[in-house]
Amino acid sequence: MKWLVGIVAVLLLCLAVYAGLAFVSALDLVSAVRSSDAAQVMARTDLPRVRHSLVDQVVSAYLDRLGQKRPVRPLERMAISAIGTTIANDLAIKLMTPENLSALLKSGTVRDGAENITFGTMSSLAEFDISNIFVFAGRITLVKPVEFALRLGDSQDAGRVSMHLDGTTWKLSGIGLPPKVLANMVDRLPTR
């Protein structure tokens, strides 16, 4: 019986450390965004994962626009990656500059800084009430054991961010853009 209590206590302690690390990492990211510290935001971001999440969203929205409402299969994904720098990848790279990413998370404005094009807005991470742990916990969706998504608001146009466990810290690994923003981005792409 003592072994069972000990095992349960250790599991609860591990769960508390796991959740605590997620909360502290999210708090650090929000703090860096609020202070407009692009270097700290970039240090707390896994750029390849964020870029990949944006490319996936743009490609899926583009296929929807073309009338091919289906998920992108792994072989298609691999073909898109093998082609090299595609239009969606170029767009994601422009969105992922330190200044654009910092501005996106702080103001919620999705823009292409190189051409000064604004695609739309979403809820900002800087305005997220991280001090209330119950609001924070209520907006979390566990994607995988090492990744969670955080809804930035209640509406569909609020958007979300994803964080991935990287060693002992959680890093920004994805930005879920609202459908209106994705539609505006895809409208600027060629139809064929």
Side-chain angles (χ1 to χ4, degrees):
M1 185 67 174
K2 290 181 183 182
W3 284 95
L4 181 62
V5 171
I7 291 171
V8 169
V10 167
L11 287 175
L12 288 175
L13 179 66
C14 289
L15 184 62
V17 168
Y18 173 83
L21 286 173
F23 181 74
V24 168
S25 294
L27 185 63
D28 288 345
L29 179 62
V30 169
S31 176
V33 167
R34 285 180 181 163
S35 66
S36 299
D37 190 349
Q40 288 299 318
V41 169
M42 296 310 276
R44 290 169 172 75
T45 302
D46 187 345
L47 278 177
R49 284 183 187 267
V50 175
R51 185 186 53 78
H52 184 71
S53 79
L54 289 173
V55 168
D56 281 351
Q57 291 175 68
V58 171
V59 168
S60 294
Y62 186 70
L63 289 174
D64 285 348
R65 184 176 129 207
L66 293 177
Q68 301 175 0
K69 295 189 183 245
R70 59 182 173 74
V72 179
R73 292 182 290 211
L75 185 59
E76 291 171 321
R77 220 179 288 272
M78 190 172 71
I80 290 171
S81 296
I83 289 171
T85 308
T86 63
I87 295 172
N89 199 14
D90 284 342
L91 187 60
I93 288 171
K94 290 177 185 175
L95 290 173
M96 298 312 312
T97 64
E99 296 78 23
N100 284 347
L101 182 61
S102 209
L104 170 81
L105 295 173
K106 184 168 184 163
S107 68
T109 303
V110 182
R111 64 184 171 91
D112 176 358
E115 298 174 16
N116 205 16
I117 299 171
T118 301
F119 298 111
T121 60
M122 59 187 265
S123 295
S124 75
L125 185 62
E127 294 173 4
F128 188 76
D129 184 17
I130 196 85
S131 64
N132 188 342
I133 195 162
F134 297 110
V135 170
F136 177 75
R139 299 256 172 107
I140 287 181
T141 304
L142 193 63
V143 177
K144 301 176 193 170
V146 293
E147 184 176 359
F148 70 87
L150 179 64
R151 285 181 295 117
L152 297 176
D154 294 324
S155 72
Q156 184 180 5
D157 292 331
R160 65 176 173 73
V161 295
S162 298
M163 295 188 78
H164 187 270
L165 186 62
D166 184 31
T168 58
T169 61
W170 293 80
K171 288 189 171 186
L172 180 68
S173 63
I175 298 173
L177 299 173
K180 288 180 183 177
V181 173
L182 280 171
N184 289 338
M185 291 171 86
V186 169
D187 285 344
R188 298 192 186 275
L189 300 177
T191 56
R192 291 284 171 193

